[in-house]
Coordinates of all heavy atoms in Angstrom, one line a residue:
M1 N 73.8 70.6 41.8 CA 73.5 70.6 43.2 C 73.4 69.2 43.8 O 72.8 68.3 43.1 CB 72.1 71.3 43.3 CG 71.6 71.4 44.8 SD 70.0 72.1 45.1 CE 70.2 73.8 44.4
R2 N 73.9 69.0 44.9 CA 73.9 67.7 45.6 C 72.5 67.5 46.2 O 71.8 68.4 46.5 CB 75.0 67.7 46.6 CG 76.4 67.7 46.0 CD 77.4 67.6 47.1 NE 77.1 68.4 48.3 CZ 77.9 68.6 49.3 NH1 79.1 68.1 49.3 NH2 77.5 69.3 50.3
I3 N 72.2 66.2 46.4 CA 70.9 65.9 46.9 C 70.7 66.5 48.3 O 69.7 67.0 48.6 CB 70.7 64.4 47.0 CG1 70.5 63.9 45.5 CG2 69.5 64.0 47.8 CD1 70.4 62.3 45.4
A4 N 71.7 66.4 49.1 CA 71.7 67.0 50.5 C 71.3 68.4 50.5 O 70.6 68.9 51.3 CB 73.0 66.8 51.2
E5 N 72.0 69.2 49.6 CA 71.7 70.6 49.5 C 70.2 70.8 49.0 O 69.6 71.8 49.5 CB 72.7 71.3 48.5 CG 74.1 71.3 49.0 CD 75.0 71.8 47.9 OE1 74.6 71.9 46.7 OE2 76.2 72.0 48.3
A6 N 69.7 70.0 48.1 CA 68.4 70.2 47.6 C 67.4 69.9 48.7 O 66.4 70.6 48.9 CB 68.1 69.2 46.5
V7 N 67.6 68.8 49.5 CA 66.7 68.5 50.7 C 66.8 69.6 51.7 O 65.7 70.0 52.2 CB 67.1 67.1 51.2 CG1 66.4 66.9 52.6 CG2 66.8 66.0 50.2
A8 N 68.0 70.1 52.0 CA 68.1 71.2 53.0 C 67.3 72.4 52.5 O 66.6 73.1 53.3 CB 69.5 71.5 53.2
R9 N 67.3 72.7 51.2 CA 66.6 73.9 50.7 C 65.1 73.7 50.8 O 64.4 74.6 51.2 CB 67.0 74.1 49.3 CG 66.3 75.4 48.7 CD 66.8 75.7 47.3 NE 68.2 76.1 47.4 CZ 68.9 76.3 46.3 NH1 68.4 76.2 45.1 NH2 70.2 76.7 46.4
V10 N 64.6 72.5 50.5 CA 63.2 72.2 50.6 C 62.7 72.3 52.0 O 61.7 72.9 52.3 CB 62.9 70.9 49.9 CG1 61.4 70.4 50.3 CG2 63.1 70.9 48.5
V11 N 63.4 71.8 52.9 CA 63.1 71.8 54.3 C 63.1 73.2 54.9 O 62.2 73.6 55.6 CB 64.0 70.9 55.2 CG1 63.9 71.2 56.7 CG2 63.8 69.4 54.9
D12 N 64.1 74.0 54.5 CA 64.2 75.4 54.8 C 62.9 76.1 54.4 O 62.4 77.0 55.1 CB 65.5 76.0 54.4 CG 65.7 77.4 54.9 OD1 65.4 77.6 56.2 OD2 66.0 78.4 54.2
Q13 N 62.6 76.0 53.1 CA 61.4 76.6 52.6 C 60.1 76.3 53.3 O 59.2 77.1 53.5 CB 61.3 76.4 51.0 CG 62.4 77.1 50.2 CD 62.4 76.6 48.8 OE1 61.8 75.6 48.5 NE2 63.2 77.3 48.0
A14 N 60.0 74.9 53.6 CA 58.8 74.5 54.3 C 58.7 75.1 55.7 O 57.6 75.5 56.1 CB 58.8 72.9 54.4
L15 N 59.8 75.3 56.4 CA 59.8 75.7 57.8 C 59.5 77.2 57.7 O 58.8 77.8 58.5 CB 61.0 75.5 58.5 CG 61.3 74.1 58.8 CD1 62.7 73.9 59.4 CD2 60.2 73.5 59.8
T16 N 60.1 77.9 56.7 CA 59.9 79.4 56.6 C 58.5 79.7 56.4 O 57.9 80.7 56.9 CB 60.7 79.9 55.4 OG1 62.1 79.7 55.7 CG2 60.5 81.4 55.2
S17 N 57.7 78.9 55.6 CA 56.2 79.2 55.3 C 55.4 79.0 56.6 O 54.3 79.4 56.6 CB 55.8 78.3 54.2 OG 55.7 76.9 54.6
R18 N 55.9 78.3 57.5 CA 55.2 78.0 58.7 C 55.5 79.0 59.9 O 54.8 79.0 60.9 CB 55.5 76.6 59.3 CG 55.0 75.6 58.3 CD 55.2 74.2 58.7 NE 54.6 73.3 57.7 CZ 55.0 72.1 57.5 NH1 55.9 71.6 58.3 NH2 54.4 71.4 56.6
R19 N 56.5 79.8 59.7 CA 56.8 80.8 60.7 C 56.8 82.2 60.0 O 57.4 82.4 58.9 CB 58.2 80.6 61.3 CG 58.4 79.4 62.1 CD 57.6 79.5 63.3 NE 57.7 78.2 64.0 CZ 57.4 78.0 65.2 NH1 56.9 79.0 66.0 NH2 57.5 76.8 65.8
K20 N 56.1 83.1 60.6 CA 55.9 84.5 60.0 C 56.4 85.4 61.0 O 56.4 85.2 62.3 CB 54.4 84.8 59.6 CG 53.8 83.8 58.7 CD 54.3 83.8 57.3 CE 53.5 82.9 56.5 NZ 54.1 82.5 55.2
T21 N 56.7 86.7 60.6 CA 57.0 87.8 61.5 C 56.0 88.9 61.2 O 55.6 89.1 60.1 CB 58.4 88.3 61.5 OG1 58.7 88.7 60.2 CG2 59.4 87.2 62.0
G22 N 55.6 89.6 62.2 CA 54.7 90.8 62.0 C 55.0 91.9 63.0 O 55.8 91.7 63.9
T23 N 54.3 93.0 62.9 CA 54.5 94.1 63.7 C 53.1 94.4 64.4 O 52.1 94.5 63.8 CB 54.9 95.4 63.0 OG1 56.1 95.1 62.2 CG2 55.1 96.6 63.9
V24 N 53.1 94.5 65.7 CA 52.0 94.8 66.5 C 51.5 96.2 66.2 O 52.3 97.2 66.4 CB 52.2 94.5 68.0 CG1 51.0 94.9 68.8 CG2 52.6 93.1 68.3
T25 N 50.2 96.4 65.8 CA 49.7 97.7 65.7 C 48.6 98.0 66.7 O 48.2 99.2 66.8 CB 49.1 97.9 64.2 OG1 48.1 96.9 64.1 CG2 50.2 97.7 63.2
G26 N 48.2 97.1 67.4 CA 47.2 97.3 68.5 C 46.8 96.1 69.2 O 47.3 94.9 68.9
V27 N 45.9 96.2 70.2 CA 45.5 95.1 71.0 C 43.9 95.2 71.0 O 43.4 96.2 71.2 CB 46.1 95.1 72.4 CG1 45.5 94.0 73.3 CG2 47.6 95.1 72.4
S28 N 43.2 94.0 70.9 CA 41.8 94.0 71.0 C 41.4 92.9 71.9 O 41.4 91.6 71.5 CB 41.2 93.7 69.6 OG 39.8 93.6 69.7
G29 N 41.2 93.2 73.2 CA 40.9 92.2 74.2 C 42.2 91.3 74.4 O 43.2 91.8 74.7
S30 N 42.0 90.0 74.3 CA 43.1 89.1 74.4 C 43.8 88.8 73.1 O 44.7 88.0 73.1 CB 42.6 87.8 75.0 OG 41.7 87.2 74.2
Q31 N 43.4 89.5 72.0 CA 44.0 89.3 70.7 C 44.9 90.4 70.3 O 44.8 91.6 70.8 CB 42.9 89.1 69.7 CG 42.1 87.9 70.0 CD 41.3 87.4 68.8 OE1 40.8 88.2 68.0 NE2 41.0 86.1 68.7
V32 N 45.8 90.2 69.4 CA 46.7 91.2 68.9 C 46.5 91.5 67.4 O 46.2 90.6 66.6 CB 48.1 90.5 69.0 CG1 49.3 91.6 68.6 CG2 48.4 90.0 70.4
I33 N 46.5 92.8 67.1 CA 46.4 93.3 65.8 C 47.8 93.4 65.2 O 48.6 94.1 65.8 CB 45.6 94.6 65.7 CG1 44.3 94.4 66.4 CG2 45.4 95.0 64.3 CD1 43.5 95.7 66.7
V34 N 48.0 92.6 64.1 CA 49.4 92.5 63.6 C 49.3 92.8 62.1 O 48.5 92.4 61.4 CB 49.9 91.1 63.8 CG1 51.3 90.9 63.3 CG2 49.8 90.7 65.3
T35 N 50.4 93.6 61.7 CA 50.6 93.8 60.3 C 51.6 92.7 59.8 O 52.7 92.6 60.4 CB 51.2 95.2 59.9 OG1 50.2 96.1 60.4 CG2 51.4 95.4 58.5
V36 N 51.1 91.9 58.9 CA 52.0 90.8 58.4 C 51.8 90.6 56.9 O 50.6 90.7 56.4 CB 51.7 89.5 59.2 CG1 50.3 89.0 59.1 CG2 52.7 88.4 58.7
Q37 N 52.7 90.5 56.1 CA 52.7 90.2 54.7 C 51.8 91.3 54.0 O 51.0 91.0 53.1 CB 52.1 88.8 54.4 CG 53.0 87.8 54.8 CD 52.6 86.4 54.4 OE1 51.3 86.1 54.5 NE2 53.5 85.5 54.1
G38 N 51.9 92.5 54.4 CA 51.3 93.6 53.7 C 49.8 93.8 54.2 O 49.1 94.7 53.6
G39 N 49.3 93.0 55.1 CA 47.9 93.1 55.5 C 47.8 93.2 57.0 O 48.8 93.0 57.7
S40 N 46.6 93.4 57.5 CA 46.4 93.5 59.0 C 45.5 92.3 59.4 O 44.5 92.0 58.8 CB 45.7 94.8 59.3 OG 45.5 94.9 60.7
L41 N 46.0 91.7 60.4 CA 45.2 90.4 61.0 C 45.0 90.6 62.5 O 45.9 91.2 63.2 CB 46.0 89.2 60.8 CG 46.3 88.7 59.3 CD1 47.2 87.6 59.3 CD2 44.9 88.4 58.6
T42 N 43.9 90.2 62.9 CA 43.7 90.1 64.5 C 43.9 88.6 64.8 O 43.1 87.8 64.3 CB 42.3 90.6 64.8 OG1 42.2 92.0 64.3 CG2 42.0 90.6 66.3
L43 N 44.9 88.3 65.6 CA 45.2 87.0 65.9 C 45.3 86.8 67.5 O 45.6 87.7 68.2 CB 46.6 86.7 65.4 CG 46.8 86.8 63.9 CD1 48.3 86.8 63.5 CD2 46.0 85.8 63.1
P44 N 45.0 85.5 67.9 CA 45.2 85.1 69.3 C 46.7 85.1 69.6 O 47.5 85.1 68.7 CB 44.6 83.8 69.3 CG 44.7 83.2 68.0 CD 44.6 84.4 67.1
R45 N 47.0 85.2 70.9 CA 48.4 85.2 71.4 C 48.5 84.2 72.5 O 47.5 83.8 73.2 CB 48.7 86.6 71.9 CG 47.9 87.0 73.0 CD 48.4 88.4 73.6 NE 47.5 88.9 74.6 CZ 47.6 88.6 75.9 NH1 48.4 87.7 76.3 NH2 46.7 89.1 76.7
L46 N 49.8 83.9 72.8 CA 50.0 83.0 74.0 C 49.8 83.9 75.2 O 50.1 85.1 75.2 CB 51.5 82.5 74.0 CG 51.8 81.5 72.9 CD1 53.4 81.2 73.0 CD2 51.1 80.3 73.1
A47 N 49.3 83.3 76.3 CA 49.0 84.1 77.5 C 50.2 84.6 78.1 O 50.2 85.6 78.9 CB 48.3 83.1 78.5
S48 N 51.4 84.0 77.8 CA 52.6 84.4 78.5 C 53.2 85.7 77.8 O 54.1 86.3 78.3 CB 53.7 83.4 78.4 OG 53.9 82.9 77.0
Y49 N 52.6 86.1 76.6 CA 53.1 87.3 75.9 C 52.2 88.5 76.2 O 51.0 88.4 76.0 CB 53.2 87.0 74.4 CG 53.4 88.2 73.5 CD1 54.6 89.0 73.7 CD2 52.5 88.6 72.6 CE1 54.8 90.2 73.0 CE2 52.7 89.7 71.9 CZ 53.8 90.5 72.0 OH 54.0 91.6 71.2
T50 N 52.8 89.6 76.6 CA 52.1 90.8 76.8 C 52.4 91.7 75.6 O 53.6 92.3 75.6 CB 52.5 91.5 78.1 OG1 52.2 90.6 79.2 CG2 51.6 92.8 78.4
P51 N 51.6 92.0 74.7 CA 51.9 92.8 73.5 C 52.0 94.3 73.8 O 51.3 94.8 74.6 CB 50.7 92.5 72.6 CG 49.6 92.1 73.4 CD 50.2 91.5 74.6
T52 N 53.0 94.9 73.0 CA 53.1 96.3 73.0 C 53.2 96.8 71.6 O 53.8 96.1 70.7 CB 54.5 96.7 73.7 OG1 54.5 96.1 75.0 CG2 54.7 98.1 73.7
T53 N 52.5 97.8 71.3 CA 52.5 98.4 69.9 C 53.9 98.6 69.4 O 54.7 99.2 70.2 CB 51.7 99.7 69.9 OG1 50.4 99.5 70.2 CG2 51.7 100.3 68.4
G54 N 54.2 98.1 68.2 CA 55.6 98.3 67.7 C 56.4 97.0 67.8 O 57.4 96.9 67.2
D55 N 55.9 96.1 68.7 CA 56.7 94.8 68.8 C 56.8 94.0 67.5 O 55.8 94.0 66.7 CB 56.1 93.8 69.8 CG 56.3 94.2 71.2 OD1 57.0 95.2 71.5 OD2 55.6 93.6 72.1
I56 N 57.9 93.5 67.2 CA 58.2 92.6 66.1 C 57.9 91.2 66.6 O 58.7 90.8 67.5 CB 59.5 92.7 65.4 CG1 59.8 94.2 65.0 CG2 59.6 91.8 64.3 CD1 58.9 94.8 64.0
V57 N 56.9 90.5 66.2 CA 56.5 89.2 66.8 C 56.7 88.0 65.8 O 56.7 88.2 64.6 CB 55.1 89.3 67.3 CG1 54.9 90.2 68.5 CG2 54.1 89.6 66.2
H58 N 56.8 86.9 66.5 CA 56.9 85.6 65.7 C 55.5 85.0 65.7 O 54.8 85.0 66.7 CB 57.8 84.7 66.4 CG 59.2 85.2 66.5 ND1 60.1 85.1 65.4 CD2 59.9 85.9 67.4 CE1 61.3 85.8 65.7 NE2 61.2 86.2 67.0
I59 N 55.1 84.5 64.6 CA 53.7 84.0 64.4 C 53.8 82.5 63.9 O 54.6 82.3 63.0 CB 52.9 84.8 63.4 CG1 52.8 86.3 63.8 CG2 51.5 84.2 63.2 CD1 52.4 87.2 62.8
D60 N 53.2 81.6 64.6 CA 53.1 80.2 64.1 C 52.0 80.1 63.1 O 50.8 80.4 63.4 CB 52.8 79.3 65.3 CG 52.7 77.9 64.9 OD1 52.7 77.5 63.7 OD2 52.7 77.0 65.9
A61 N 52.3 79.8 61.9 CA 51.4 79.7 60.8 C 51.3 78.3 60.3 O 50.9 78.1 59.1 CB 51.8 80.7 59.7
T62 N 51.5 77.3 61.1 CA 51.6 75.9 60.8 C 50.1 75.5 60.3 O 50.0 74.8 59.3 CB 51.9 75.0 62.0 OG1 53.3 75.4 62.4 CG2 52.0 73.6 61.5
V63 N 49.1 75.9 61.0 CA 47.7 75.5 60.6 C 47.1 76.6 59.9 O 46.9 77.7 60.5 CB 46.9 75.1 61.9 CG1 45.5 74.8 61.6 CG2 47.6 74.0 62.7
P64 N 46.7 76.4 58.7 CA 46.1 77.5 57.9 C 44.8 78.0 58.6 O 44.0 77.2 59.1 CB 45.7 76.8 56.5 CG 46.7 75.7 56.4 CD 46.9 75.2 57.8
G65 N 44.6 79.3 58.7 CA 43.4 79.9 59.4 C 43.4 79.8 60.9 O 42.5 80.3 61.5
A66 N 44.6 79.4 61.5 CA 44.7 79.3 62.9 C 46.0 79.8 63.4 O 46.7 79.1 64.1 CB 44.4 77.8 63.4
W67 N 46.4 81.0 62.8 CA 47.7 81.5 63.2 C 47.7 81.9 64.7 O 46.7 82.3 65.2 CB 48.1 82.6 62.3 CG 48.4 82.3 60.9 CD1 48.1 81.1 60.3 CD2 48.9 83.1 59.9 NE1 48.6 81.2 59.0 CE2 49.0 82.3 58.7 CE3 49.3 84.5 59.9 CZ2 49.5 82.9 57.5 CZ3 49.7 85.0 58.7 CH2 49.8 84.2 57.6
L68 N 48.9 81.9 65.3 CA 49.0 82.2 66.7 C 50.3 83.1 66.9 O 51.4 82.7 66.5 CB 49.1 80.9 67.5 CG 49.4 81.1 69.1 CD1 48.2 81.7 69.7 CD2 49.7 79.7 69.6
V69 N 50.1 84.2 67.5 CA 51.3 85.0 68.0 C 52.0 84.4 69.1 O 51.4 84.3 70.2 CB 50.8 86.5 68.3 CG1 52.0 87.3 68.8 CG2 50.1 87.1 67.1
L70 N 53.2 84.1 68.9 CA 54.0 83.4 70.0 C 54.7 84.5 70.9 O 54.8 84.1 72.1 CB 55.1 82.5 69.3 CG 54.6 81.5 68.3 CD1 55.8 80.8 67.7 CD2 53.7 80.5 69.1
G71 N 55.0 85.6 70.4 CA 55.7 86.6 71.2 C 56.8 87.2 70.4 O 57.0 87.0 69.2
K72 N 57.6 88.0 71.1 CA 58.7 88.6 70.5 C 60.1 88.0 71.0 O 60.1 87.3 72.0 CB 58.7 90.2 70.7 CG 58.9 90.5 72.2 CD 58.9 92.0 72.4 CE 59.2 92.3 73.8 NZ 59.5 93.8 73.9
S73 N 61.1 88.3 70.2 CA 62.4 87.8 70.6 C 63.0 88.6 71.8 O 62.6 89.7 72.0 CB 63.4 87.9 69.4 OG 63.0 87.1 68.3
A74 N 63.7 87.9 72.6 CA 64.3 88.6 73.8 C 65.4 89.6 73.3 O 66.0 89.4 72.4 CB 64.8 87.6 74.8

C-alpha cells in the first residue's frame, strides 16, 4: 500500500467516526429521539431542522457526549 492510500484511509476513518446517521423515532420538546448504532438517544437539533418521525438524519459526533442532530439530506 502506498503512503498516500494509507493516509487517505486513516483520514476517512477519522471523519466517519465523527459523523453518524440515525432514524428519528420521536420528538421531546426541542430535542430529537434518534435510534443510532443500535440504541436510542435524545439529542439536541439545529433550530433550522424540523424533525419528522422516520427521517434519516445526520449527526455531528465530533465532541464526545455532545452529539448534535444536523438534519436530513435533501
Side-chain angles (χ1 to χ4, degrees):
M1 176 183 300
R2 296 182 316 188
I3 291 176
E5 291 171 350
V7 169
R9 182 176 291 174
V10 168
V11 168
D12 187 48
Q13 290 171 346
L15 292 175
T16 299
S17 70
R18 294 182 179 155
R19 296 289 176 168
K20 309 286 185 199
T21 57
T23 303
V24 174
T25 59
V27 178
S28 178
S30 63
Q31 296 197 331
V32 183
I33 303 166
V34 182
T35 299
V36 60
Q37 295 182 324
S40 182
L41 298 170
T42 302
L43 300 171
R45 63 175 172 84
L46 290 178
S48 59
Y49 168 60
T50 303
T52 302
T53 300
D55 283 353
I56 305 298
V57 292
H58 300 276
I59 301 166
D60 180 350
T62 304
V63 179
W67 290 10
L68 175 67
V69 175
L70 302 174
K72 64 179 185 172
S73 295

